[in-house]
Amino acid sequence: MEAIVLAGGKAERLGDAAAGRPKSLVPVGGRPLLAWQIGRLRRVGVSRVIVSCMAGQEADFEQDLAGAGVEIVCAGEPERLGRGGAIRYAASFRNETGNVLAMNGDELVAVDFAALLARHRAANAAATVTVAQPLSQFGQVELGDDDVVTGFHEVAPVPYWVNCGIYALSAAGLARFPEKGDHETTIFPELVAEGSLQAFRHDGLWLTVNTPKELRRADEHVTAHPEWLA
């Protein structure tokens, strides 16, 4: 099975911590960040990962991910295509024509990929979106009548579902992705209107690595959970 990974991030907010590397190749626990997610993909039978990166960075990804245990194929974007366009362009490098997983390459997400695919196949959906209720970054205040404060919650999940950016896509759904632009504002509203967009609920780890603080959290997590690469 194949998977598509978006890895064109510039790591601007990571600053010196990135040392000039693409964000998905920043070291976490002594390995490139993307290698940890590839380890989880490998567990469910993914043997070929197509990496959507900036043109000119292909050799960096091929070299740094050489020991990841899967075939790495780089799809260097000739220009900025947007997330939807990048997924469609990367799909042109596929060897298969069936379902495919697509996701961001700058995150640690403990999604049950096998269950996601099972949900996608059972629903016969054009696309299935992984959704989660992450912890709020702000403390929550409970209000009663006349704005009397009745309590505080320092850490609590948000009361709505958020798109994790991890998808299972059918060949028919993938074929409708834009050549340039964002799929969430183009094809996804169409699929919603047709009733062919499904959701898969995820309640585990979801850690995006954008800042030095988040990078430290990611490093601490994989150090404590080496089974991510088992």
Side-chain angles (χ1 to χ4, degrees), residues 2 47 96 113 195:
E2 297 172 318
S47 59
E96 301 178 351
F113 291 122

Side-chain angles (χ1 to χ4, degrees), residues 2-8 48-54 58 71-98 100-104 169 174-175 177-181:
E2 297 172 318
I4 294 171
V5 176
L6 298 179
R48 192 168 187 266
V49 175
I50 303 169
V51 179
S52 173
C53 61
M54 295 177 61
E58 295 91 340
E71 180 185 358
I72 299 295
V73 178
C74 290
E77 292 184 57
E79 59 177 313
R80 284 294 188 180
L81 300 174
R83 292 186 303 162
I87 290 175
R88 177 164 180 155
Y89 179 70
S92 68
F93 289 74
R94 295 189 68 198
N95 285 338
E96 301 178 351
T97 57
V100 65
L101 292 167
M103 65 202 67
N104 297 316
L169 305 171
L174 185 59
F177 269 54
E179 294 185 359
K180 194 171 186 179

